[in-house]
Amino acid sequence: MHEMSIAQSILDIIFQESQNHKVSRVLSVSLKLGELSAVQSESLRFCFELLSKGTLAEGAKLDIERVQVTCQCQECGSKFTVQELVFTCPSCNSPKIDMLSGRELSVESFEGE
Ligand SMILES: [Zn+2]
């Protein structure tokens, strides 16, 4: 499962950081999740819960922020948010666009003690 390996890599980051900061228990984790990363928040929560059992991250609260897909048109320079995955410029209909955000999958911060 896609979410399982993502949950594992999130935990790897947390374990590494916990060691660096001498954290013995993780309370909450803030994640940024791009709409295009194709990750279901609920199934990510489920996998995280499963994998964190018995670790210092057990019971940690997952704070998931969804990041919208934003693009910039190469022709007219307008920036826009992609709705329903239509990748053309709403101003000039050009298909030549650059993606600015939407693929994020990152651990922004976490709280521990
Ligand atoms: Zn345009």
Side-chain angles (χ1 to χ4, degrees):
M1 201 189 332
H2 187 51
E3 280 81 3
M4 199 57 103
S5 58
I6 291 168
Q8 186 58 60
S9 51
I10 291 168
L11 278 169
D12 288 344
I13 295 169
I14 292 170
F15 293 156
Q16 186 64 51
E17 288 296 310
S18 298
Q19 247 174 5
N20 294 345
H21 297 95
K22 310 219 181 305
V23 168
S24 56
R25 198 162 75 94
V26 177
L27 303 176
S28 68
V29 183
S30 297
L31 299 175
K32 265 198 174 153
L33 209 56
E35 293 291 355
L36 271 191
S37 60
V39 174
Q40 299 295 320
S41 306
E42 284 320 303
S43 96
L44 183 59
R45 275 180 214 282
F46 175 78
C47 294
F48 183 85
E49 224 170 86
L50 208 69
L51 291 173
S52 64
K53 276 215 170 73
T55 73
L56 51 79
E58 179 168 4
K61 183 172 150 286
L62 271 195
D63 218 348
I64 300 174
E65 185 193 338
R66 306 294 307 206
V67 180
Q68 285 188 317
V69 183
T70 54
C71 294
Q72 182 164 28
C73 177
Q74 290 179 9
E75 303 281 350
C76 72
S78 64
K79 286 184 188 169
F80 54 95
T81 307
V82 173
Q83 308 288 353
E84 288 155 12
L85 301 185
V86 180
F87 291 94
T88 52
C89 174
S91 304
C92 69
N93 278 323
S94 168
K96 291 185 187 167
I97 55 176
D98 294 320
M99 198 176 300
L100 302 176
S101 71
R103 290 189 194 277
E104 290 85 351
L105 178 66
S106 56
V107 177
E108 286 298 294
S109 63
F110 73 94
E111 267 181 81
E113 58 178 21

Short mmCIF file of all heavy atoms in Angstrom, two decimals, residues 73 75-76 78 89 91-92 94, ligand 1:
data_model
loop_
_atom_site.label_atom_id
_atom_site.label_comp_id
_atom_site.label_asym_id
_atom_site.label_seq_id
_atom_site.Cartn_x
_atom_site.Cartn_y
_atom_site.Cartn_z
N CYS A 73 0.86 30.01 -15.61
CA CYS A 73 0.82 29.90 -17.06
C CYS A 73 2.11 30.43 -17.66
O CYS A 73 2.59 31.50 -17.28
CB CYS A 73 -0.38 30.67 -17.60
SG CYS A 73 -0.46 30.67 -19.39
N GLU A 75 2.43 31.26 -20.78
CA GLU A 75 2.09 32.23 -21.83
C GLU A 75 1.78 33.61 -21.26
O GLU A 75 2.35 34.60 -21.67
CB GLU A 75 0.89 31.73 -22.64
CG GLU A 75 1.07 30.36 -23.27
CD GLU A 75 1.90 30.38 -24.55
OE1 GLU A 75 2.18 31.48 -25.07
OE2 GLU A 75 2.28 29.30 -25.03
N CYS A 76 0.83 33.64 -20.30
CA CYS A 76 0.40 34.95 -19.80
C CYS A 76 0.81 35.22 -18.36
O CYS A 76 0.59 36.31 -17.84
CB CYS A 76 -1.12 35.10 -19.96
SG CYS A 76 -2.05 34.08 -18.78
N SER A 78 -0.30 34.17 -15.53
CA SER A 78 -1.27 34.17 -14.44
C SER A 78 -1.14 32.92 -13.58
O SER A 78 -0.81 31.84 -14.07
CB SER A 78 -2.70 34.33 -14.97
OG SER A 78 -3.04 33.22 -15.75
N CYS A 89 -4.70 26.99 -18.65
CA CYS A 89 -4.80 28.32 -18.05
C CYS A 89 -6.24 28.84 -18.18
O CYS A 89 -6.80 28.83 -19.26
CB CYS A 89 -3.83 29.26 -18.75
SG CYS A 89 -4.01 30.96 -18.22
N SER A 91 -7.14 31.86 -17.97
CA SER A 91 -7.16 33.18 -18.61
C SER A 91 -7.03 33.08 -20.13
O SER A 91 -7.76 33.73 -20.87
CB SER A 91 -6.03 34.06 -18.08
OG SER A 91 -6.10 34.16 -16.68
N CYS A 92 -6.09 32.25 -20.59
CA CYS A 92 -5.84 32.21 -22.03
C CYS A 92 -5.96 30.80 -22.61
O CYS A 92 -5.69 30.59 -23.79
CB CYS A 92 -4.47 32.80 -22.35
SG CYS A 92 -3.11 31.78 -21.77
N SER A 94 -4.11 28.31 -22.38
CA SER A 94 -2.87 27.67 -22.78
C SER A 94 -2.62 26.41 -21.94
O SER A 94 -2.86 26.40 -20.74
CB SER A 94 -1.69 28.63 -22.60
OG SER A 94 -0.48 27.91 -22.72
ZN ZN B 1 -2.45 31.95 -19.58
#
